[in-house]
Amino acid sequence: MSTLMADKALVCADCSSEFMFTASEQEFFAERQFSEPRRCPSCRAVRKLSRGGSGDPARGSSYGSPSGSARPMFTATCSSCGREAHVPFQPTGAKPVYCSDCFTSQRQSYR
């Protein structure tokens, strides 16, 4: 983005407290054509929890589950060591499936 943005103080629509909308957050919102946030981070987390989300941005979404329950897990045989593996997707046989130990070692070999 060619324009330089400065941090901006906004007022929360719920609690009326002032919070900072940083330049990097503004760029992120602008790139995705989002409108400015109306709620402070605390009020956003409370609102998300009330709608069934985790409220913790680091934990991501609950995959559309209104109750926030865990994803279904599927059993497969590890393509590397032959042990039983539990994975969060239905294996089709088109690609190899690894247990968590083999997945970690495969992933580290690509770095």
Side-chain angles (χ1 to χ4, degrees):
M1 187 164 276
S2 61
T3 61
L4 292 176
M5 295 184 185
D7 291 354
K8 184 191 280 189
L10 300 177
V11 177
C12 179
D14 289 350
C15 69
S16 299
S17 67
E18 190 173 277
F19 66 98
M20 293 306 295
F21 188 36
T22 65
S24 62
E25 289 171 327
Q26 291 175 54
E27 288 177 21
F28 178 86
F29 276 58
E31 287 171 4
R32 288 157 182 79
Q33 298 180 340
F34 295 158
S35 58
E36 288 184 350
R38 295 185 24 190
R39 293 176 180 82
C40 67
S42 298
C43 289
R44 282 195 302 255
V46 168
R47 186 171 167 89
K48 184 174 181 180
L49 277 174
S50 72
R51 291 190 334 242
S54 70
D56 180 0
R59 293 193 38 96
S61 71
S62 59
Y63 295 96
S65 172
S67 65
S69 61
R71 291 177 73 178
M73 298 297 279
F74 300 90
T75 303
T77 302
C78 176
S79 298
S80 183
C81 70
R83 291 188 310 192
E84 185 176 275
H86 297 280
V87 294
F89 57 89
Q90 177 71 54
T92 63
K95 294 183 178 182
V97 175
Y98 300 106
C99 65
S100 41
D101 292 335
C102 292
F103 179 80
T104 300
S105 64
Q106 287 284 331
R107 190 171 175 195
Q108 288 175 346
S109 69
Y110 289 112
R111 290 184 181 190

